Amino acid sequence: RRQKRLGSCWRELQMKPVIRLSEKIRELSKEFESVKIMHLCGTHEDTITKYNLRSLLPENISLLSGPGCPVCITPDEDIQMVMHLLEKENITLATFGDMARVPFQGKSLFTLRAEGYDIRIVYSIFDSLKLAESSDRPVVHFAIGFETTMPSTAIALLDEKENFYVFSAHRFFIPAVHALCENTTVDAFINPGHVSTIIGVKPYREILKKYGIPQVIAGFEPEDVMLAIYLLLEAMSDGRREVINEYSRAVKEEGNVRALEAMDRVFRKEDWSWRGLGVVKGSGGALAKRFEQFDARKVFEDAFADFQPVEDKSKRLCRCGDVLKGIATPKDCPLFMKACNPRNPVGACMVSVEGTCNIWATSGTSR
Ligand code: SF4
């Protein structure tokens, strides 16, 4: 009981600056008819929903979620390709747990494991490397994620490896923000803290230059998010169009130079598809030619010779793609907390802990 009391005291103390910021936001918001702010990170959605920050904002300030969840934006075609590879080749597939739960045509990598396929759940690519040392089958790591996980994949591939391959489904983040900006009514962005620790501030300045959309790079505490909203409104009220780095305790102007160099050596950019956004120019993290001997898409290209992507008709009503573009909320989906729930997810946004549908469902926002 004492622990619980301490917990609630701590929460109250933590919320004090948040409440003060919400009062300042309310005051500033009177200058605007309406402002749409989109955040670009699943962890921001988690903070916003868990601390119920939307309820602290005035009605004319809306907070939308964007394509910030790596599992959610990975299109069905990649999952279908990995399943196809398992059927054709005697491999061990190493994958992150969330990715293994994304359904495709009534199956998932977890259900395939129950059918006898050798599928291992790993926490990082380095677990997969260890597996490859002792496995008598080729180990294929299903690599997903933005610039946050790409450096690990790059480092894992920079040394010579045996029996180890990567099926890269990595996506570069900034091209997707450009794609969003081409066709959006959003007034401002809250940029993702984790990705920004790697890429730095500069790429956002190019977005600002091209589209004039103000942005704040924000951390993940509730006060970070509220401060980001306040800073955006303040800048807009002063007529300043800027990229503000609120998360300067972790994000440097130039980003993580060593990680960027490693990524530069290992990846090349291709035009790959995103769930919700379609094909995004230069967003695909394909392996560079020099690393072709580790590239599962190349090494097992015979297995893909008869591969035909198909649409998963069971997801016809799923609005995950719209949720990722901020044009729908989970509650706009007719399946939310009915046919689709955390125990029985229909779409990727309900599977991943960074998915908006999952966060709303597990935080009770459905009620
Ligand atoms: Fe898709 Fe489920 Fe979200 Fe609906 S609730 S959009 S079916 S993931």
Side-chain angles (χ1 to χ4, degrees):
R1 254 204 322 272
R2 188 164 171 265
Q3 199 66 28
K4 218 170 163 184
R5 235 183 11 251
L6 275 175
S8 86
C9 283
W10 169 243
R11 205 176 154 92
E12 221 169 88
L13 272 177
Q14 197 186 16
M15 287 306 276
K16 273 196 173 159
V18 172
I19 302 293
R20 272 206 302 276
L21 279 163
S22 91
E23 285 158 6
K24 282 170 158 260
I25 289 170
R26 252 169 222 286
E27 203 46 46
L28 257 180
S29 71
K30 291 176 186 157
E31 296 179 28
F32 303 93
E33 201 179 312
S34 79
V35 180
K36 282 191 211 165
I37 300 172
M38 177 182 272
H39 72 75
L40 300 166
C41 179
T43 314
H44 278 144
E45 183 57 43
D46 191 62
T47 303
I48 290 162
T49 304
K50 288 219 171 107
Y51 288 90
N52 210 359
L53 298 185
R54 286 189 179 93
S55 72
L56 299 176
L57 298 177
E59 273 190 7
N60 61 337
I61 310 294
S62 42
L63 207 46
L64 316 173
S65 64
C69 157
V71 170
C72 309
I73 63 92
T74 303
D76 279 353
E77 184 175 334
D78 286 2
I79 299 161
Q80 192 196 340
M81 278 183 93
V82 165
M83 288 179 169
H84 186 84
L85 184 61
L86 277 162
E87 276 167 24
K88 294 277 173 168
E89 298 282 343
N90 188 19
I91 59 161
T92 295
L93 182 81
T95 176
F96 300 128
D98 274 2
M99 211 56 231
R101 293 188 59 228
V102 179
F104 177 73
Q105 291 197 315
K107 293 192 171 187
S108 69
L109 292 172
F110 260 132
T111 61
L112 288 187
R113 185 166 78 163
E115 283 177 27
Y117 290 98
D118 188 10
I119 297 170
R120 314 287 179 95
I121 304 304
V122 291
Y123 294 97
S124 87
I125 193 167
F126 301 104
D127 294 340
S128 309
L129 272 175
K130 271 200 199 113
L131 261 178
E133 280 168 19
S134 55
S135 173
D136 46 10
R137 295 180 196 181
V139 172
V140 176
H141 177 81
F142 188 10
I144 64 144
F146 307 130
E147 285 85 342
T148 3
T149 47
M150 286 169 100
S152 311
T153 304
I155 289 162
L157 289 179
L158 279 169
D159 290 333
E160 287 301 307
K161 305 281 175 284
E162 275 180 23
N163 201 32
F164 178 73
Y165 307 92
V166 167
F167 182 93
S168 176
H170 283 301
R171 261 75 178 168
F172 291 99
F173 193 70
I174 291 296
V177 186
H178 280 274
L180 263 178
C181 290
E182 291 292 343
N183 188 17
T184 188
T185 55
V186 164
D187 300 297
F189 287 123
I190 297 178
N191 291 333
H194 295 139
V195 167
S196 307
T197 58
I198 305 295
I199 65 174
V201 183
K202 205 174 143 208
Y204 301 115
R205 298 204 196 287
E206 285 159 24
I207 289 166
L208 180 74
K209 205 168 146 197
K210 194 161 175 196
Y211 306 99
I213 300 181
Q215 302 150 63
V216 172
I217 300 167
F220 300 102
E221 297 300 327
E223 49 269 46
D224 285 318
V225 177
M226 291 300 272
L227 182 57
I229 297 167
Y230 175 75
L231 291 171
L232 282 169
L233 293 181
E234 189 187 48
M236 287 163 77
S237 150
D238 296 346
R240 285 180 282 120
R241 305 250 149 200
E242 298 182 321
V243 178
I244 301 166
N245 184 7
E246 185 275 335
Y247 199 31
S248 57
R249 60 191 190 269
V251 176
K252 295 187 198 133
E253 180 71 25
E254 68 284 5
N256 183 330
V257 177
R258 286 182 66 190
L260 288 170
E261 277 169 7
M263 282 163 55
D264 222 36
R265 286 170 67 190
V266 170
F267 296 103
R268 65 192 161 84
K269 293 183 173 174
E270 283 196 353
D271 302 344
W272 283 2
S273 187
W274 291 48
R275 191 187 304 279
L277 301 184
V279 175
V280 177
K281 203 165 181 289
S283 69
L287 296 192
K289 215 167 170 43
R290 210 190 119 201
F291 295 91
E292 251 178 28
Q293 72 271 32
F294 306 118
D295 187 348
R297 292 176 189 258
K298 298 277 176 210
V299 174
F300 301 105
E301 67 186 343
D302 288 350
F304 294 120
D306 62 344
F307 175 77
Q308 283 296 333
V310 293
E311 193 200 338
D312 183 353
K313 293 208 170 78
S314 67
K315 290 183 186 157
R316 262 196 327 260
L317 293 176
C318 171
R319 297 199 61 192
C320 200
D322 291 339
V323 171
L324 290 165
K325 283 186 285 194
I327 57 176
T329 72
K331 284 185 184 173
D332 294 322
C333 172
L335 307 183
F336 181 63
M337 293 310 278
K338 292 173 190 143
C340 180
N341 54 63
R343 275 172 176 264
N344 183 27
V346 173
C349 299
M350 185 59 90
V351 171
S352 170
V353 291
E354 291 187 67
T356 303
C357 299
N358 180 285
I359 294 167
W360 283 39
T362 53
S363 305
T365 311
S366 52
R367 290 193 287 274

